[in-house]
Amino acid sequence: MTATHSGSGSGIVRLIFIPSVVTLIITILRLIGELQHWSRVWFNPTAGGGGAIIGITWLAPIFGVYFALKLSGAGEGLERVGRAIMLAVLGLIVMIGGSFMAFAPFIQFPGKLAVGFLLILAAAALQLPAWPALFKTLLAYGYTARIPVALVMFFAIQGHWGTHYDALPPEFPQMSFWPTYVMTALLPQLVFWVAFTVIVGSLFAGIASAIFARRMSVSPAH
């Protein structure tokens, strides 16, 4: 196996640089599209912004596969594909459960938000033992993708821009700026969406690795 340094800080920076730039460009394009009231199919300005074609959520599986191929090519590929996929699926289930715990209005008990976010963090952490190099890469990419969004939301919420970056969920209680920002922007972006990136990216990376390994095993010898 060729010695590589993809898991080092400098190696990760090189690996995520282009995906991070692409993600930032899409974030800026999304903001411009919503401010200019372009098509809602492409730029959904409602709370959550779900389903919009232009968005960075779709990039998690794409770059998960990209990172998997890059790491495999550098000699840091996945050794136990089945285990990685199983942990990713388990992480997805735990993340969904944690999200319901944190955000579902019909679930009410003291500390529910903390419990929910701890479950989400645990779901992401499940991916570490399966493929450490990929976990570190997706974690770093997740933060480079989501910190700019959190910054945009900081100004959007203050300025009432009329975008999905400042649109509040239905029945969200009236709060001052800082509690609103922490609850609707900072925690979701830097915890939930980073965990989502790690888990979904890991799942698609595992699937891509399985497909690649199968193709290699059935390729005729030359």
Side-chain angles (χ1 to χ4, degrees), residues 90-135:
L90 178 60
L92 191 61
I93 294 170
V94 174
M95 183 187 72
I96 292 171
S99 301
F100 271 108
M101 185 77 69
F103 301 116
F106 55 85
I107 299 177
Q108 294 294 334
F109 64 88
K112 81 174 192 109
L113 189 65
V115 172
F117 276 108
L118 284 174
L119 285 172
I120 293 170
L121 289 171
L126 283 172
Q127 313 314 308
L128 175 59
W131 196 346
L134 179 68
F135 174 85

Side-chain angles (χ1 to χ4, degrees), residues 40-59:
R40 286 178 171 242
V41 174
W42 293 84
F43 306 91
N44 181 8
T46 60
I53 295 174
I54 300 298
I56 64 174
T57 302
W58 316 114
L59 298 179

Side-chain angles (χ1 to χ4, degrees), residues 62-73:
I62 294 172
F63 286 134
V65 174
Y66 172 82
F67 294 141
L69 296 177
K70 287 290 187 179
L71 289 170
S72 296

Side-chain angles (χ1 to χ4, degrees), residues 22-179:
V22 170
T23 304
L24 181 60
I25 291 171
I26 293 176
T27 297
I28 295 171
L29 178 61
R30 174 78 182 262
L31 176 60
I32 294 172
E34 292 187 27
L35 289 173
Q36 296 298 317
H37 306 293
W38 293 346
S39 170
R40 286 178 171 242
V41 174
W42 293 84
F43 306 91
N44 181 8
T46 60
I53 295 174
I54 300 298
I56 64 174
T57 302
W58 316 114
L59 298 179
I62 294 172
F63 286 134
V65 174
Y66 172 82
F67 294 141
L69 296 177
K70 287 290 187 179
L71 289 170
S72 296
E76 295 186 75
L78 184 59
E79 295 181 358
R80 298 173 61 184
V81 175
R83 178 176 181 240
I85 294 175
M86 180 192 71
L87 287 175
V89 171
L90 178 60
L92 191 61
I93 294 170
V94 174
M95 183 187 72
I96 292 171
S99 301
F100 271 108
M101 185 77 69
F103 301 116
F106 55 85
I107 299 177
Q108 294 294 334
F109 64 88
K112 81 174 192 109
L113 189 65
V115 172
F117 276 108
L118 284 174
L119 285 172
I120 293 170
L121 289 171
L126 283 172
Q127 313 314 308
L128 175 59
W131 196 346
L134 179 68
F135 174 85
K136 295 174 185 177
T137 302
L138 284 169
L139 185 66
Y141 165 70
Y143 278 111
T144 62
R146 291 296 167 176
I147 287 174
V149 178
L151 290 173
V152 168
M153 294 181 76
F154 177 86
F155 295 105
I157 293 172
Q158 284 190 323
H160 305 286
W161 289 356
T163 67
H164 91 279
Y165 296 107
D166 59 287
L168 299 179
E171 302 180 3
F172 187 81
Q174 289 290 330
M175 297 182 180
S176 60
F177 168 74
W178 280 109

